[in-house]
Amino acid sequence: MRDVGSDKDEDEMTDKHMTTVSQHYFVDESDKSSFSIAIIENMKEEYGLFVWPCSVILAEYVWQQRYRFSGANVVELGAGTSLPGLVAAKVGSNVTLTDDSNRIEVLKNMRRVCEINKLNCRVMGLTWGFWDASIFDLNPNIILGADVFYDASAFDDLFATITYLLQSSPGSVFITTYHNRSGHHLIEFLMVKWGLKCVKLVDGFSFLPHYKARELNGNIQLAEIVLNHESPEETSTSTVR
């Protein structure tokens, strides 16, 4: 019979060997400004703690739009390794990082990356489609979501959450990067269903520095989404293409 204590020790050793710290650099040669963000990644599949290409692209967008983010209240949904939210905090945003309330290890890791980067972000569990007191305190100017459109069964709950947050802060915007997968038309349908519209859509690689772009692949788009105050007839041509 195997000793339970030895099994636990082996699991801890495995976790340790599968954990790495990656450095992500943000540079503007025109004004000589730069910084780096350290991210703790864990290769265990159930943790999902990878820096996905969508996160790299969204983080770069935040950096390039940093004057827009300075002083803004920012919420990142499904943050995981939290790279975009951490960049927002670095450039002066008041940031709340969120992920599924049941993903305890992910939330713990989010607090650790805030500590190692010396950033004061709020970390909280937020399960899409579920309403508790914590979500009512959020009044974001900007909502971030990197690769949150990966599970079609969760799209409706995600859009419900996005719509509530946009309604809680007039003039706010949801900025997301996503792979142009087969669920694309479902995203369009749900945008109309929840009264949203896309006001900006760009190729995620169009603004990415060459040294970052060559490390990534995929058909990734960046979209800015807001509440739609137009009539249904006026929105028929304003969905994501």
Side-chain angles (χ1 to χ4, degrees):
M1 179 180 294
R2 289 179 62 86
D3 180 68
V4 174
S6 64
D7 285 344
K8 183 178 179 181
D9 290 342
E10 287 181 15
D11 288 343
E12 290 177 352
M13 287 297 293
T14 300
D15 280 356
K16 185 176 180 180
H17 288 306
M18 297 184 76
T19 299
T20 60
V21 177
S22 56
Q23 292 287 339
H24 301 265
Y25 297 90
F26 300 87
V27 179
D28 186 340
E29 295 181 358
S30 64
D31 63 6
K32 302 288 192 280
S33 59
S34 66
F35 61 81
S36 66
I37 297 288
I39 297 292
I40 303 169
E41 300 185 69
N42 191 300
M43 301 299 110
K44 287 188 73 171
E45 186 176 353
E46 62 266 33
Y47 289 176
L49 289 172
F50 311 96
V51 178
W52 301 103
C54 284
S55 292
V56 174
I57 291 173
L58 185 54
E60 180 65 28
Y61 187 74
V62 173
W63 165 240
Q64 293 185 17
Q65 299 268 321
R66 56 193 177 276
Y67 300 112
R68 175 185 182 187
F69 279 80
S70 179
N73 293 325
V74 173
V75 170
E76 184 173 2
L77 300 177
T81 51
S82 308
L83 182 59
L86 293 173
V87 173
K90 195 76 173 179
V91 300
S93 299
N94 303 307
V95 176
T96 300
L97 303 171
T98 74
D99 211 301
D100 193 305
S101 301
N102 298 311
R103 302 182 71 193
I104 304 303
E105 289 296 332
V106 173
L107 294 170
K108 184 188 301 182
N109 192 76
M110 288 158 64
R111 293 185 179 93
R112 290 176 63 199
V113 294
C114 290
E115 290 173 2
I116 65 174
N117 288 287
K118 297 180 172 58
L119 292 171
N120 185 24
C121 300
R122 179 185 180 190
V123 175
M124 60 174 273
L126 192 161
T127 302
W128 302 336
F130 287 82
W131 314 106
D132 57 29
S134 59
I135 194 172
F136 302 131
D137 294 331
L138 299 175
N139 294 287
N141 307 117
I142 302 173
I143 307 158
L144 299 175
D147 206 12
V148 290
F149 296 111
Y150 59 88
D151 180 4
S153 67
F155 283 5
D156 220 22
D157 287 337
L158 172 59
F159 271 106
T161 302
I162 293 166
T163 302
Y164 171 78
L165 291 173
L166 291 174
Q167 290 174 339
S168 70
S169 296
S172 56
V173 60
F174 172 52
I175 306 176
T176 182
T177 46
Y178 63 96
H179 287 274
N180 196 356
R181 301 184 177 102
S182 58
H184 190 67
H185 293 295
L186 178 57
I187 295 172
E188 292 182 356
F189 169 78
L190 289 172
M191 282 178 55
V192 175
K193 173 184 174 180
W194 287 98
L196 307 176
K197 66 177 179 180
C198 179
V199 293
K200 183 174 184 178
L201 181 66
V202 296
D203 180 348
F205 288 87
S206 63
F207 55 85
L208 204 62
H210 293 305
Y211 71 92
K212 291 187 178 182
R214 65 171 176 253
E215 302 293 330
L216 307 177
N217 56 60
N219 179 7
I220 299 173
Q221 294 181 305
L222 180 141
E224 295 198 14
I225 296 170
V226 300
L227 288 175
N228 187 6
H229 300 293
E230 300 171 351
S231 66
E233 291 78 11
E234 292 173 309
T235 66
S236 59
T237 59
S238 62
T239 52
V240 177
R241 300 297 177 199

